[in-house]
Amino acid sequence: MTNKAIIVEKLSKTFNGFKAVDEISFEVGRGEIFGFLGANGAGKTTAMKMLCGLSMPSSGKATVAGFDIYQENESIKKNIGYMSQKFSLYEDLTIRENIRFYAGIYGIRPDIIKTKTVQLLTQLSLEKEADQLVGQLPLGWKQKLAFSVAIFHDPQIVFLDEPTGGVDPITRRDFWNMIYDATAKGITVFVTTHYMDEAEYCDRVSIMVDGQIDALDTPGNLKRLYQAESMDQVFLQIARKAKRTE
């Protein structure tokens, strides 16, 4: 088995002559926290949809969890987790019902679902709220629950699309501790974020500009290269090159 969770070679996506993603190439190691950054309109979401098997590329090659994105996209979906920037659970179902529903989608046996649900509720200190509607939870707890459900089936990779948008700094830090716990179990984390302090938590970071990857390295190396004190300063220098914003 390769030690690469994701391999991308000259991957492109064109819409009616507009190249949303323009021949990007990169690799993500297994167990790595990989930050996928870029301003609005850079092509991040389009690229992520291709890697999740939700959108067919126009050209290029890629494998995700060892599966080809053209021929094996259904296998990709079974071996990844995904959490969108908008809350992705059903607010009119209880916490327990949401867990059971999503676990069932991934074909987990009922007895295993029952055991792992108890473990998850204990980890999140939500035992007393298990039969409460998810819509009644504070946003921070919703996001923690959504992440926990996204990795409930022990995927090889989890894709997180701006998972901490709108939550307070303390909750964001708690969320990142959960990410560290996931990588300690061998799960690869592919994350987009607009918070540049979170980019500092990643093992490596790529920054897209106008459909292309303009920079890719560790946060420390990028700060040295751009003579910057923070990833926020790095991002501003690179994002200024962008010509498109939508």
Side-chain angles (χ1 to χ4, degrees):
M1 179 183 291
T2 176
N3 64 347
K4 302 298 182 184
I6 301 172
I7 301 174
V8 176
E9 300 177 29
K10 295 185 177 181
L11 196 65
S12 297
K13 181 69 175 183
T14 303
F15 298 98
N16 298 321
F18 172 73
K19 216 161 196 179
V21 176
D22 188 3
E23 295 191 355
I24 61 173
S25 298
F26 62 92
E27 296 180 347
V28 180
R30 292 187 181 276
E32 184 175 19
I33 302 175
F34 188 81
F36 199 59
L37 311 182
N40 291 337
K44 305 185 306 296
T45 299
T46 301
M48 183 180 283
K49 285 182 178 178
M50 288 190 285
L51 297 178
C52 291
L54 300 175
S55 178
M56 192 63 67
S58 300
S59 62
K61 301 178 181 178
T63 58
V64 177
F67 300 103
D68 181 83
I69 60 173
Y70 292 96
Q71 306 296 330
E72 302 171 299
N73 54 1
E74 289 304 316
S75 294
I76 289 174
K77 293 173 187 176
K78 293 177 182 177
N79 284 275
I80 65 171
Y82 176 77
M83 179 181 166
S84 68
Q85 62 189 105
K86 295 181 179 179
F87 185 60
S88 53
L89 300 183
Y90 289 97
E91 299 205 352
D92 56 349
L93 295 180
T94 67
I95 294 173
R96 194 189 308 276
E97 287 169 341
N98 266 285
I99 296 171
R100 186 166 60 236
F101 175 75
Y102 281 96
I105 289 176
Y106 286 101
I108 302 175
R109 293 201 328 257
D111 58 322
I112 295 178
I113 293 175
K114 186 175 181 179
T115 300
K116 292 189 69 173
T117 296
V118 172
Q119 294 172 349
L120 174 55
L121 292 172
T122 301
Q123 290 169 4
L124 294 178
S125 299
L126 288 174
E127 301 100 318
K128 295 181 180 179
E129 292 83 4
D131 297 308
Q132 178 178 321
L133 292 178
V134 162
Q136 297 173 351
L137 291 175
L139 178 60
W141 281 108
K142 289 180 180 179
Q143 298 299 77
K144 292 177 185 178
L145 177 62
F147 176 71
S148 298
V149 170
I151 62 172
F152 192 82
H153 60 297
D154 296 320
Q156 294 187 46
I157 306 164
V158 62
F159 289 86
L160 307 175
D161 189 3
E162 298 180 28
T164 56
V167 302
D168 64 83
I170 294 176
T171 302
R172 284 202 287 125
R173 184 64 204 184
D174 289 343
F175 190 94
W176 274 87
N177 285 332
M178 294 176 69
I179 290 178
Y180 294 146
D181 289 342
T183 57
K185 298 175 183 176
I187 296 176
T188 302
V189 176
F190 187 102
V191 58
T192 72
T193 179
H194 281 305
Y195 296 110
M196 289 303 106
D197 61 318
E198 294 186 349
E200 305 270 5
Y201 305 152
C202 299
D203 296 311
R204 287 188 304 141
V205 169
S206 74
I207 301 177
M208 287 189 74
V209 176
D210 294 344
Q212 299 179 324
I213 291 179
D214 195 84
L216 198 168
D217 211 327
T218 65
N221 285 343
L222 287 173
K223 285 186 287 186
R224 283 189 288 272
L225 178 63
Y226 287 90
Q227 299 180 335
E229 295 181 358
S230 67
M231 280 302 299
D232 190 53
Q233 293 178 3
V234 171
F235 183 79
L236 287 174
Q237 289 186 52
I238 294 173
R240 287 194 187 106
K241 304 175 186 178
K243 297 178 181 179
R244 66 194 199 201
T245 57
E246 296 296 336

